[in-house]
Amino acid sequence: MPEQRAERADAVRNRHAVLRATEQLLAEGGGDHVSLDRVAALAGVGKGTVFRRFGNRAGLLQALLEERSRELRDAVRSGPPPLGPGAPASERLLAFLDGLGAIAEGNATLLSAHGQACAEDKYDDPSYQLWHRHLSTLFADGSPDLDADFLAHAVLAVFDGDLIRHMTPPDDPRRFTRSVQQMAMALLRRD
């Protein structure tokens, strides 16, 4: 296996600047406001730097979503229960959906832009694949007779930016997450 080289300091700095510029453009004008040219200009790097690192707009949004979900991913893999290994499937499912819901509620604009930019290869997106694999495992463990693969896709389908914004009123900021958790638990407890 080839030795993994440490990323150069300027590359780390540029990646950080590009992702922060993407965040700012999303906040200012939504997904339609994000282009490689605008991101490069705001980040103070050349368009080629953005293109080489991220490939295209979809790659840029995938990287930002991946960054936003890194802590959740690490907790699922090796954190303490109930999010990490060692808890019953139903407890892990609730904890995972709580974490994913928090990401969604705080990043609805990113999820909308990501969904549009990555529509062609949505199921190949690294974040989607990780979330799907984890949900499938939890559904299979909790109710082996269910089609866990389908249920994982169905639950992830509700993580739509427009729906999240609609279901997250200012007076009840966790409504979306609670509703998704209730839906998932109802699937596990059905008779």
Side-chain angles (χ1 to χ4, degrees):
M1 186 151 126
E3 185 178 318
Q4 185 124 3
R5 293 185 345 206
E7 194 172 21
R8 293 185 344 249
D10 63 327
V12 171
R13 188 174 48 254
N14 287 345
R15 182 178 197 283
H16 182 74
V18 166
L19 293 178
R20 296 302 72 82
T22 304
E23 287 177 320
Q24 184 177 336
L25 292 170
L26 280 169
E28 290 174 356
D32 293 338
H33 201 60
V34 176
S35 71
L36 295 185
D37 289 325
R38 283 184 177 144
V39 168
L42 187 59
V45 300
K47 182 180 176 184
T49 298
V50 178
F51 180 76
R52 278 188 302 280
R53 181 68 185 244
F54 301 99
N56 56 26
R57 184 172 169 267
L60 182 59
L61 294 167
Q62 284 177 341
L64 184 56
L65 184 59
E66 183 84 10
E67 180 183 271
R68 297 276 173 89
S69 62
R70 180 174 292 121
E71 189 176 308
L72 177 64
R73 180 187 67 227
D74 293 346
V76 164
R77 289 182 179 156
S78 58
L83 195 50
S90 60
E91 290 178 28
R92 289 195 81 196
L93 182 61
L94 285 174
F96 177 70
L97 291 174
D98 182 61
L100 190 58
I103 292 169
E105 289 160 347
N107 296 281
T109 302
L110 170 58
L111 287 178
S112 290
H114 178 267
Q116 291 171 350
C118 303
E120 295 288 319
D121 61 351
K122 168 183 177 172
Y123 303 111
D124 294 327
D125 178 81
S127 294
Y128 187 94
Q129 287 183 341
L130 175 75
W131 300 340
H132 179 269
R133 190 170 39 256
H134 187 59
L135 284 170
S136 293
T137 300
L138 295 175
F139 278 122
D141 289 349
S143 289
D145 58 320
L146 295 177
D147 184 343
D149 179 61
F150 173 78
L151 290 178
H153 285 300
V155 168
L156 290 173
V158 303
F159 282 83
D160 169 78
D162 293 331
L163 178 62
I164 294 162
R165 281 190 290 275
H166 179 72
M167 297 297 297
T168 308
D171 62 330
D172 192 3
R174 297 304 321 262
R175 179 180 178 203
F176 172 79
T177 296
R178 274 194 328 277
S179 298
V180 173
Q181 288 174 314
Q182 290 167 354
M183 177 183 71
M185 295 311 292
L187 292 168
L188 286 181
R189 286 194 287 254
R190 93 272 172 250
D191 290 320

